[in-house]
Every structure is written in C-alpha cells, then in structure tokens.
Amino acid sequence: MNQKNDALRPAAEAGEALPPIARHFAGFLCTLAGGPRPELFLAAALVCRAEQSGHACLELEPLCGTAPLPGLPAAPEFDAWQKSLMESGVVGRPGDYKPLILDETGRLYLERLHAAETGLAARILDRCRAAGGGPDPDLAARRLAALFPAPANGPDRQKTAAAVALFKRFSVISGGPGTGKTFTAARLMALILELEGAAHGPLILCAPTGKAAARLSESVAGALERLPVSPAARAAFPLRALTIHRLLGARPGGGFTHGPENPVAAGTLLVDEASMVDLSLMSRLFAAIPGHCRVVLLGDRNQLSSVDPGSVLGDISGRAETAFSPDFAALLRRVTGDSPPVAASQPPPLADSVIFLTKNHRFAESSDIARFAGMVIAGQAREAVDFLRSRTGGAFSFLDYRDPAELAALLEEKMTAGYAPYLSAATPADALAALSRFRVLTAHREGPGGAAHANAVLERALALKN
C-alpha cells in the first residue's frame, strides 16, 4: 500500500485481516482513482475477497449499513455507495472496460469475471432459443423405446432426459450419485449416432480433471457392452474422454489453441462432472465450440463445486423442479410416451433444457445412505452426526476417538480389513476388482483423519505386514 493510502492501513489490517492480495488490490485501485477513497477501498477489498472465496461477484445492498469486517469502515447507504464508486473512475457499467463493473442490480464484479459470465450466459441462451433441429420424432420414439424399456412404475426420467438432450442444442442432466447420469448419456450417444450418423459431426466426451475423464471413459466403455446398437454406431462410439484443457489445446505459456476464431470440430460435446467447471473455463469452452454443436452438461448440483470462482452448473440447475413449455412438453410426450410436467405459463428459455434425475438406482430412498445424504444436502449437521452414531455397525462405521493415536488404531483396523481382498488377490485383474470395492474418503487433506494421516497409517500398517 503506498503512502497516499497510509490512512487506510490500520483499518485494513485491524480485526479480521483481509487476504494480502485484497489489501494490495484495493490500495492499487485507490491509487488509480487519485487518492484515498474509503468506499472504493472497502468495495474493492471485499470483491477481491469474494473472488478468492469462489464467488463471481459481490452484492452490495445486503452489506449497506453494516461493518462487513472488523476494523474496516461501515458500508455506506446503497445509492450513495454506488454513486461514490461510479465517480471513482475505476468502476464502470456493463460494456465499459474498467477494473470493476457494477451492474444495474448492485452486483460488483471484477471485469474479467463479468465478461466471462455475460459471454457464457449469452451463448447458452442462444442455444436454448435455437428453433427446430433434431431427428424425425417418430424415428426418435422408436429408438428411445428400444434403448429405454418401459419401467415397472411411473414415467422414465432417464428416457425424458435423453429426449431433451437429443432435441435441444443445450441441456443439463443433473442428479445425485446412482441416478443414472452416465447410463442416460451412453444411450443418448447411441441415439445420436444411429439417428444422425456421420453427418452429425464428431461426438466428444470431456471432463474437468484427468481422473474424471478416466472414470467417464471407463463408464462409457462398460455401458457400451450392454447397449442394443448397430455395428456402425458401436464402431463410432467415443471411448476416450479428454480433459477440457486438452480439448481446448492448453498452451504451456497460457491461453488455448481453440477459441472463437479456431473452434473445436464437434457435433456433440458431453461434459461430465460439470459442477467442477469454474466460470472462466466454462466460458472459454463455450467460446471455442461452433454454434451448431449440441452441448450436454452432466453433474450433481449438490456436489463437487469448482475450486475457482463461479458455480455454473449450480446456478443453471438451481430450480427445484422441471416444468417444460407447452410446445416442448408435447414433443417430449410424443417421443417418450410419458407426460412431462407443463409450466402454467411460458417459462424462460432455460426451462426446456434442464432435467433432474431423482430416482436412485444404486440404493433405496429409505436406506441409511439415502437418509444420511439428504441430511447433508439440507445442511443438518447435528442430525447427520447423531444419525451416524445411531447406525454404527450397518452401512456406516462412526469412529469415535479421544486422541489421534486412538484414531490411528481404529483406521488401521478398518483399512487393513477393507484392503485384505486386494492384498490376497491372485491376479492383477482380481486386485483391481478388489480395489474398486473399497475406498477411503476423507473430508479434508491435513489433520487427524485427513487424507495425509490416513495414507500414513495405511503405509505403516502395510510395511509391518510385509
């Protein structure tokens, strides 16, 4: 912080300390604005801290009249704060090229995040509004019936999800673990290859990380073995998923090979684990695919949020339920034979592109796992812990301990028993199969019970056994 802003130094460093980058960024903007400006310093520091915490913007109005951080000045009245920021010379309105952007609702952005959000939103809405397209409905109905046999009871949301993605240029299929997202995606790919063939263009699978891409490749390969598809479609099936960075051609020095001027050659792009994709990367991805490309996002809105700012999948699929426009609902009814919910009035364009898979095919809704997951999603921490304690010996093992040494002994006992089939496997194939049946998940990396601690306990136990 330079000498002009020395008066702000005690406020910036008192109480709950701001991250250093937030302090320096706020001081730099005050320098650009010509001198100390407490209202600008406060807004700039808070928007930088919000970005560091994973948020794309900062809403000013809820902060007005409060002291957002101990030691910093109280936030002024809403209109006065906006006026002061706009007079600073470093804050602009949407479309301006300024360090900070303040929109009409009072949301403050770093310029690059505002550009990413508005650009991505425009490209998604263009796809949602695109009229027509898709295969012949009667042909689609026959293939859907072959790939999705009628369920024992109720409508088949997986079939409806595949139909939505087949006829829309943009779609989101959201659901928790075990709801059949990959099952649905594999059948969607079979539909596209059989109904549109080579004219459709390349069908590309991608995911945000190498591990997610490898799991998607494995899941699709396994699903293909059980699919009733023609030899031509089977031969054209994509069996290898790429990371998004590899698909875009990430350069060692920064930037990507593919972009608006050099788009990726793709007819359909399927993005798995989309909840992990941050705003900037998703914006880059959509800018690098041609307008005719069908885009399908798969993911769980309650799981695996992105590390960097933005929650694209969560924001898109934040609605509680799906209700389609009358015209699109009629098309879905024609091709699936089910009766999807119809909105009472004309919904926004995005409504026809989002569907939630709710039936769990991995475990029953009344099971302990389902009940525990529901408590976690609802934020019922105390209830979830009490439930775990009461169910020890069933689907869960709650390790209660008084000190790290006791926890280490408990972990060693559980893990050596869990990995025993892997250690005694006769062949590599048996070892891999056994390894996939037992996993250790931790809530954090460091500390007692964290990933590093659990790995050290297991390594020590295995060393002693050998």
Side-chain angles (χ1 to χ4, degrees):
M1 191 177 294
N2 63 39
Q3 189 172 4
K4 290 184 179 180
N5 293 316
D6 276 347
L8 295 173
R9 186 186 297 273
E13 296 180 348
E16 179 182 344
L18 284 165
I21 189 172
R23 294 200 304 272
H24 288 291
F25 176 70
F28 175 66
L29 288 194
C30 287
T31 300
L32 292 180
R37 288 177 173 263
E39 295 88 353
L40 174 62
F41 184 92
L42 177 64
L46 291 176
V47 78
C48 185
R49 191 183 75 144
E51 188 264 353
Q52 292 286 300
S53 300
H55 302 291
C57 66
L58 175 73
E59 292 190 57
L60 297 183
E61 190 166 16
L63 303 175
C64 293
T66 70
L69 289 174
L72 289 178
E77 186 268 332
F78 186 49
D79 290 339
W81 201 2
Q82 291 190 92
K83 184 174 184 292
S84 174
L85 293 177
M86 293 306 299
E87 290 174 348
S88 69
V90 296
V91 181
R93 290 295 186 188
D96 295 339
Y97 188 64
K98 300 282 187 177
L100 299 178
I101 300 297
L102 180 64
D103 73 10
E104 294 76 9
T105 67
R107 289 178 298 207
L108 188 65
Y109 291 80
L110 299 175
E111 190 278 334
R112 63 178 177 82
L113 290 180
H114 184 267
E117 183 173 285
T118 53
L120 176 61
R123 289 185 172 96
I124 288 176
L125 286 174
D126 283 347
R127 281 183 157 78
C128 292
R129 292 179 177 130
D136 175 80
D138 293 329
L139 288 176
R142 288 196 288 271
R143 289 307 303 151
L144 280 163
L147 288 165
F148 295 89
N153 53 358
D156 188 345
R157 277 187 178 249
Q158 293 176 330
K159 182 195 285 188
T160 302
V164 167
L166 183 64
F167 284 95
K168 299 299 291 186
R169 203 171 294 174
F170 171 78
S171 60
V172 172
I173 301 175
S174 180
T179 54
K181 296 186 296 293
T182 307
F183 174 95
T184 304
R187 281 152 180 77
L188 169 64
M189 290 187 282
L191 278 168
I192 293 169
L193 292 172
E194 294 209 324
L195 295 173
E196 299 178 4
H200 156 268
L203 201 163
I204 298 175
L205 308 179
C206 68
T209 66
K211 183 175 182 179
R215 291 186 63 182
L216 177 59
S217 301
E218 180 183 342
S219 297
V220 169
L224 179 59
E225 296 176 1
R226 302 183 296 274
L227 282 177
V229 295
S230 66
R234 189 177 296 276
F237 233 77
L239 296 179
R240 184 186 178 202
L242 305 173
T243 64
I244 296 175
H245 285 81
R246 183 162 187 173
L247 173 65
L248 296 179
R251 298 191 183 113
F256 297 97
T257 300
H258 293 290
E261 305 303 320
N262 181 30
V264 174
T268 290
L269 178 67
L270 193 148
V271 186
D272 196 21
E273 300 289 9
S275 65
M276 298 174 65
V277 186
D278 63 85
L279 174 60
S280 295
L281 184 58
M282 191 73 85
S283 180
R284 294 256 194 173
L285 179 62
F286 271 75
I289 51 180
H292 66 268
C293 177
R294 177 192 286 114
V295 182
V296 184
L297 304 185
L298 298 176
D300 181 358
R301 56 180 171 171
N302 296 313
Q303 183 180 354
L304 296 173
S305 59
S306 59
V307 174
D308 290 320
S311 177
V312 178
L313 186 77
D315 290 342
I316 290 173
S317 57
R319 295 175 297 114
E321 191 48 83
T322 301
F324 300 103
S325 66
D327 289 344
F328 194 58
L331 173 62
L332 293 178
R333 187 162 50 249
R334 178 179 174 185
V335 299
T336 66
D338 292 331
S339 297
V342 183
S345 58
Q346 189 66 26
L350 194 61
D352 283 345
S353 295
V354 181
I355 186 165
F356 303 108
L357 302 180
T358 55
K359 180 177 175 56
N360 201 298
H361 301 274
R362 193 173 300 167
F363 44 80
E365 293 299 318
S366 59
S367 67
D368 285 354
I369 292 177
R371 293 173 63 188
F372 175 69
M375 294 174 193
V376 172
I377 292 171
Q380 299 170 338
R382 173 49 55 192
E383 292 86 344
V385 171
D386 291 343
F387 184 80
L388 284 178
R389 289 181 186 276
S390 70
R391 292 299 192 276
T392 298
F396 304 102
S397 293
F398 190 88
L399 303 186
D400 207 352
Y401 63 95
R402 289 180 294 275
D403 58 65
E406 186 179 358
L407 173 62
L410 290 168
L411 282 174
E412 180 177 339
E413 177 187 349
K414 294 290 183 182
M415 289 194 295
T416 51
Y419 285 116
Y422 163 75
L423 296 171
S424 62
T427 66
D430 291 343
L432 288 173
L435 192 61
S436 69
R437 288 194 293 269
F438 180 77
R439 303 285 172 87
V440 178
L441 303 179
T442 66
H444 45 89
R445 184 178 298 276
E446 304 296 337
H453 179 230
N455 283 334
V457 169
L458 182 61
E459 288 171 8
R460 184 170 62 250
L462 294 178
L464 291 174
K465 290 177 73 71
N466 293 330

